[in-house]
Amino acid sequence: MAEADTRTRILEAARRLFHEQGYGATGVATILREAGVHPGSLYHFFRSKEELLAGLLEYYPSLFAPIVSRPIEAAEKEAVERVFALLAFYRKGLEESGCRLGCPIGNLALEVSDNHPEVRPLLERNFAMWSGTVAGWLARARLRRGTDLDRLARFVLAVMEGAVMQARGAGSLAPFDAAVAELRRHFDLLQERAGASRARRRKR
Amino acid sequence: MAEADTRTRILEAARRLFHEQGYGATGVATILREAGVHPGSLYHFFRSKEELLAGLLEYYPSLFAPIVSRPIEAAEKEAVERVFALLAFYRKGLEESGCRLGCPIGNLALEVSDNHPEVRPLLERNFAMWSGTVAGWLARARLRRGTDLDRLARFVLAVMEGAVMQARGAGSLAPFDAAVAELRRHFDLLQERAGASRARRRKR
DNA sequence: TGCGGACTTGAATGATCGCTCAAGTCCGCG
DNA sequence: CGCGGACTTGAGCGATCATTCAAGTCCGCA
């Protein structure tokens, strides 16, 4: 892990620190220390702190499939349950960090989108990949006629981000669980009279 | 407006600047300039920038009723429509700012909750007041038996915050509208076979 | 008239910010 | 061997950061 190439070490340090403290609150000096790198090296690969952020937002999508979506696809075959496994993934992150660590993209989206408009397309690409994955899963689900899958996937993303935000604000998982439970209800209603058959639901 | 007392002028300047640029990205010097105040005055009322933030989070709830909830209650009598009028309020804020200005509390929640844990209770109080208002409205709605109003209100808040976040990231209202449309569908399903009567729906 | 506390003034502080750059190391290729 | 480009080193830049404080103004009350 320490023998990764310099650029990747910088990105990994920035990823962790931006996630934990935010973009503005993280000084370049801290990134340098954590990455074990000197200023000149960082500024060899990235012209500015802002370009480092852009590099990170281009780096994120390459992590999503191996770390998030593929393990879920391997462990859970049923479409709707995959969505809730994805939410459970974020819940676990909250739980293990005492409701401190949420969605790294979401944090950056709110902090950075105004002051650095040039990263907006990169934020949107991350959101689009996330909701696109969910929409792909849901294509296999039996839902009410007329369900717009992209819209539903955007909705799931909104619920996740809003639920994470409330949990971080409250320092408690309760609002997260409440939002997810209500989302479950929405899916129940969407499946209720979907195809008449196969009301396959889960144990837990 | 300029003749408000000093403490309020500082809070108003901080409110606007934190909303537009975020907490970390806003320098104390900028707040001082916008408020037309000298450093000593600010530090007379607030011991630190962080206490100013806390003061702001205590100040916010006093704005919610007169600016947000009461006008909605006056203009819209039907419970569920009040919820969507509230969402339309945030949509208007996004639209008028080119998808830059979202929910001020949500921004602060993500930026600040980790690094300044002592403001967490204040964030939660703001969220609780928001969702409490929504839950109060929904008490008059005819929804499916077994609907948990607090849970549903937390869900609405999550959708709103997540939808605002996506709109700001994308620089477009489309994801916001998508999430709200799906939330409308959820309410439609909750009302569908609620009390059999009074399926009062709206024109627009 | 004079005292005291609330509030204002504004220069100054040390720390930290993002960033630069000249010098140097290293390695592949001729 | 020798050239050139990729990358590293690390001291140091000016700017800005949040904050301090001694001095001063103002006003209600005695």
Side-chain angles (χ1 to χ4, degrees):
Chain A
M1 181 166 291
E3 39 259 66
D5 65 272
T6 305
R7 205 187 114 101
T8 304
R9 285 214 320 281
I10 295 171
L11 283 172
E12 274 298 315
R15 183 184 63 78
R16 217 180 51 254
L17 290 164
F18 288 173
H19 192 190
E20 288 169 359
Q21 324 184 19
Y23 173 76
T26 301
V28 173
T30 312
I31 301 173
L32 297 172
R33 180 163 28 82
E34 294 284 300
V37 151
H38 297 270
S41 293
L42 191 153
Y43 285 93
H44 171 73
F45 292 105
F46 307 98
R47 290 197 205 166
S48 64
K49 187 188 179 187
E50 193 179 329
E51 271 207 7
L52 168 58
L53 171 65
L56 184 61
L57 287 170
E58 283 169 352
Y59 172 60
Y60 263 121
S62 71
L63 303 177
F64 184 71
I67 295 181
V68 185
S69 65
R70 270 210 291 272
I72 288 173
E73 288 161 5
E76 179 61 62
K77 296 301 174 190
E78 212 276 319
V80 172
E81 296 310 320
R82 280 181 174 170
V83 172
F84 286 90
L86 180 57
L87 296 173
F89 175 87
Y90 287 90
R91 196 199 129 100
K92 200 178 61 174
L94 282 170
E95 192 171 24
E96 290 172 354
S97 66
C99 291
R100 292 168 43 81
L101 268 49
C103 167
I105 311 294
N107 297 357
L108 294 173
L110 288 199
E111 184 180 356
V112 135
S113 63
D114 285 358
N115 310 318
H116 309 270
E118 55 284 359
V119 307
R120 274 183 158 186
L122 297 171
L123 290 168
E124 170 56 15
R125 258 197 27 207
N126 279 272
F127 285 150
M129 189 201 50
W130 200 99
S131 62
T133 301
V134 169
W137 291 345
L138 292 176
R140 293 183 126 82
R142 298 188 129 251
L143 303 172
R144 279 208 178 196
R145 199 175 309 277
T147 300
D148 181 331
L149 293 184
D150 290 317
R151 198 177 87 176
L152 182 55
R154 286 280 179 182
F155 184 68
V156 172
L157 175 53
V159 171
M160 185 278 282
E161 295 287 4
V164 166
M165 178 189 295
Q166 286 181 69
R168 300 221 302 146
S172 152
L173 286 167
F176 183 92
D177 290 335
V180 170
E182 193 66 35
L183 183 66
R184 168 68 83 180
R185 192 153 196 231
H186 184 54
F187 273 95
D188 285 349
L189 293 171
L190 287 180
Q191 290 179 291
E192 205 165 60
R193 291 177 304 175
S197 73
R198 202 180 66 171
R200 170 140 66 109
R201 281 295 310 279
R202 242 244 200 118
K203 47 265 155 180
R204 73 125 69 199
Chain B
M1 183 169 291
E3 39 257 69
D5 65 272
T6 306
R7 206 188 114 100
T8 304
R9 285 215 321 280
I10 294 171
L11 282 172
E12 274 298 315
R15 184 184 63 77
R16 217 180 51 253
L17 289 164
F18 288 173
H19 193 190
E20 288 169 359
Q21 325 183 21
Y23 173 76
T26 301
V28 172
T30 312
I31 300 173
L32 297 172
R33 179 162 28 83
E34 295 284 301
V37 151
H38 296 270
S41 293
L42 191 153
Y43 285 93
H44 172 74
F45 292 105
F46 307 97
R47 291 197 204 167
S48 64
K49 186 187 179 188
E50 193 179 330
E51 271 207 8
L52 169 58
L53 172 65
L56 184 60
L57 287 171
E58 282 168 352
Y59 172 60
Y60 263 121
S62 71
L63 303 177
F64 184 71
I67 295 181
V68 185
S69 65
R70 270 211 290 274
I72 288 174
E73 286 161 7
E76 178 61 61
K77 297 299 174 191
E78 213 277 318
V80 173
E81 297 310 321
R82 281 181 173 171
V83 173
F84 286 91
L86 179 57
L87 295 173
F89 175 86
Y90 287 90
R91 195 199 130 100
K92 199 177 63 175
L94 282 170
E95 192 171 25
E96 290 173 353
S97 65
C99 291
R100 291 169 41 82
L101 268 50
C103 165
I105 310 295
N107 297 358
L108 294 173
L110 288 199
E111 183 180 357
V112 135
S113 64
D114 285 359
N115 310 318
H116 309 271
E118 55 284 359
V119 306
R120 273 183 159 186
L122 298 172
L123 290 168
E124 170 56 15
R125 257 196 29 205
N126 279 272
F127 284 149
M129 188 201 50
W130 199 99
S131 63
T133 301
V134 169
W137 291 345
L138 291 176
R140 292 183 127 81
R142 298 188 130 253
L143 303 172
R144 279 208 178 197
R145 198 176 309 277
T147 300
D148 180 333
L149 293 185
D150 291 317
R151 198 177 87 177
L152 182 55
R154 286 280 179 182
F155 184 68
V156 172
L157 175 53
V159 171
M160 183 277 280
E161 294 288 5
V164 166
M165 178 190 295
Q166 287 180 69
R168 300 220 302 145
S172 152
L173 286 167
F176 183 92
D177 290 335
V180 171
E182 192 67 35
L183 183 67
R184 168 67 83 179
R185 192 155 195 230
H186 184 55
F187 273 95
D188 285 348
L189 293 171
L190 286 181
Q191 290 180 290
E192 204 165 60
R193 290 177 305 174
S197 73
R198 201 180 67 170
R200 168 141 65 111
R201 283 293 311 279
R202 244 250 202 110
K203 46 262 157 184
R204 71 125 68 198

